[in-house]
Amino acid sequence: INVKLSARNLSVIFDCDLTFEPYVKKLVQSCFFRLRSIMKIKSVLSYSNREKVIHSLIFSRLDFCNSLLSGINQKLILRFLQVQNAAAQLLSGSSRWHHITPVLAPCSF
């Protein structure tokens, strides 16, 4: 009998220890791929359309099944925060090297 160390249900990857590390890794990877794709077309999108695209493609994924992630370790939470910060920088047009707190203040994240 082959024993698998993880199982997928509703696109959430459950590992044997319930740390959700494989799920978070895959989700963050997917979100950054989508952010790079949005970055390529940001010149043809208005601010409001860019905001709608980011909310529909990025934050809807971060919010999906987030109640399962309560109690995960701080390292995984920081990965979600990196995605949120990258999305805010893309939306605001700020540089990657600028501090993110002033950018997040007026946003509705």
Side-chain angles (χ1 to χ4, degrees):
I1 297 175
N2 284 341
V3 177
K4 294 220 174 204
L5 297 178
S6 63
R8 177 180 293 224
N9 189 12
L10 291 174
S11 77
V12 177
I13 302 171
F14 294 89
D15 57 339
C16 60
D17 297 326
L18 289 179
T19 61
F20 293 101
E21 283 187 48
Y23 171 66
V24 171
K25 181 181 177 184
K26 197 74 164 167
L27 181 65
V28 168
Q29 181 182 16
S30 170
C31 287
F32 275 119
F33 172 78
R34 283 172 173 66
L35 283 172
R36 285 190 298 274
S37 298
I38 296 168
M39 192 180 321
K40 291 177 184 176
I41 62 166
K42 77 176 185 177
S43 63
V44 298
L45 295 173
S46 67
Y47 179 85
S48 63
N49 286 337
R50 201 175 341 155
E51 183 179 20
K52 290 174 189 172
V53 169
I54 288 173
H55 276 286
S56 64
L57 293 179
I58 306 302
F59 289 107
S60 64
R61 291 183 182 275
L62 292 178
D63 288 339
F64 181 71
C65 289
N66 63 358
S67 61
L68 292 174
L69 301 176
S70 65
I72 63 173
N73 66 21
Q74 194 68 23
K75 183 180 90 172
L76 297 178
I77 292 173
L78 288 176
R79 295 291 291 154
F80 284 127
L81 187 61
Q82 288 175 338
V83 172
Q84 180 183 3
N85 291 347
Q89 286 172 342
L90 177 61
L91 182 60
S92 68
S94 67
S95 170
R96 174 180 180 183
W97 310 110
H98 287 122
H99 202 303
I100 194 65
T101 303
V103 174
L104 287 177
C107 294
S108 61
F109 303 139

